[in-house]
């Protein structure tokens, strides 16, 4: 397993931890092969750009 001590944290998890969770969920939903890898890569690219705030969304 890669050293995660120097990886930035997002919402309490590193990107490596997110990668494992995303792949597990995508596999449960039936994604396989290239599509699984593409979806996981897109999701990982989006994680650092997500900004949460306290304002309610309508």
């Amino acid at each position: 397993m890669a050293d995660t001590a120097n990886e930035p944290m997002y919402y309490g998890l590193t990107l490596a931890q997110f990668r494992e969770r995303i792949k597990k969920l995508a596999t449960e939903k039936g994604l396989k092969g290239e599509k699984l890898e593409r979806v996981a890569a897109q999701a990982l690219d989006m994680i650092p750009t997500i900004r949460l705030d306290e304002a309610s969304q309508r």
Side-chain angles (χ1 to χ4, degrees):
M1 184 167 167
D3 179 23
T4 60
N6 295 329
E7 282 192 64
M9 301 279 286
Y10 300 96
Y11 315 107
L13 298 173
T14 65
L15 287 179
Q17 292 168 320
F18 271 113
R19 181 181 302 112
E20 293 303 315
R21 286 181 169 209
I22 290 166
K23 284 188 173 187
K24 180 181 177 201
L25 290 171
T27 301
E28 288 174 2
K29 293 293 182 181
L31 296 178
K32 297 178 185 176
E34 185 179 321
K35 190 168 187 174
L36 170 67
E37 295 300 324
R38 187 173 66 242
V39 167
Q42 288 174 341
L44 287 172
D45 288 344
M46 291 173 51
I47 289 170
T49 66
I50 297 170
R51 300 288 181 249
L52 300 178
D53 61 20
E54 298 298 319
S56 62
Q57 301 291 319
R58 294 184 184 216

